Amino acid sequence: MPLIPEEPQIHESAQGPRATPASGRTAPTPRPVPGPRPAAPSRPGRPGPLRPTPPAQRTPRDAAPAKPGPSGPAAPAAAASPQIQLIPATAEGALDAAEEAVDLLLDSGRAPGDVLVLTTGAQHPWAEHELSFGEASYWAQHDAGDDVFYADAAVASRAATRPVVVVAVNGGPASAAATALPLAHSRAGALLIVCGDPQQINSVLGAGV
């Protein structure tokens, strides 16, 4: 604390003016000692008081990329499986049930080119008609992808993936459905509709159908 100048002591016996310092100036009157001053605000171009800066937090972008494990890079997530719908029908009525399913799909807003129809037994009349002009013309319509395409399940491996696949289990050898249904499942992007005997279909695709 700064020292406060003391006034000269005046004795009762002293006469005349108050004593002055040697400099000839009157001693200043004591003033209260000011308290601590607030820190002066920093000026432009002049750094303010230093403060400890918190450690920088690492964001996910700053984080180092994960290194692949011994087995190599992680495999991409598997594509979502299509939804499966089962329409009970006899072998004789499976094709009609498939036709009704297609009509409902188109009425609901599905584009004709989104739908592929497979048969395990007799060919659909449209497929029979188009094949009469030759396979090149028939498959050219498939490649165009602008209309519903009907095909025998035996040649379904040649068909491209479409959002909706409808299967009519309308007869054929016992192995036809066992081969056609897994293949149709792999060709369906969003929805697989199977028309046929539920017991036979469940035995192939599983009870979760």
Side-chain angles (χ1 to χ4, degrees):
M1 179 179 295
L3 298 177
I4 301 174
E6 296 181 355
E7 292 183 0
Q9 299 294 326
I10 300 175
H11 301 280
E12 294 180 357
S13 59
Q15 301 291 331
R18 189 169 55 180
T20 59
S23 62
R25 293 180 294 178
T26 304
T29 304
R31 292 181 295 175
V33 179
R37 298 181 181 179
S42 59
R43 300 176 183 176
R46 178 182 176 184
L50 297 178
R51 296 181 181 180
T53 55
Q57 296 182 355
R58 301 184 65 176
T59 61
R61 181 179 299 179
D62 299 328
K67 297 181 180 179
S71 59
S81 297
Q83 180 184 354
I84 302 176
Q85 292 184 4
L86 171 59
I87 300 178
T90 62
E92 294 76 15
L95 193 55
D96 289 338
E99 280 291 306
E100 292 179 5
V102 171
D103 290 340
L104 289 173
L105 289 167
L106 299 181
D107 290 343
S108 67
R110 276 286 180 185
D114 287 352
V115 184
L116 170 67
V117 180
L118 303 177
T119 55
T120 62
Q123 286 267 28
H124 188 277
W126 181 91
E128 288 182 346
H129 176 73
E130 296 300 326
L131 281 169
S132 66
F133 298 101
E135 287 201 7
S137 173
Y138 171 73
W139 285 104
Q141 295 186 60
H142 165 271
D143 297 339
D146 55 5
D147 203 353
V148 179
F149 191 77
Y150 298 84
D152 191 310
V155 297
S157 59
R158 185 172 174 179
T161 300
R162 292 200 177 190
V164 183
V165 176
V166 181
V167 181
V169 185
N170 60 334
S175 61
T179 302
L181 294 180
L183 183 57
H185 187 270
S186 69
R187 292 294 185 272
L191 177 62
L192 172 63
I193 300 175
V194 185
C195 306
D197 176 34
Q199 184 175 357
Q200 180 185 15
I201 295 169
N202 287 335
S203 66
V204 176
L205 292 181
V209 177

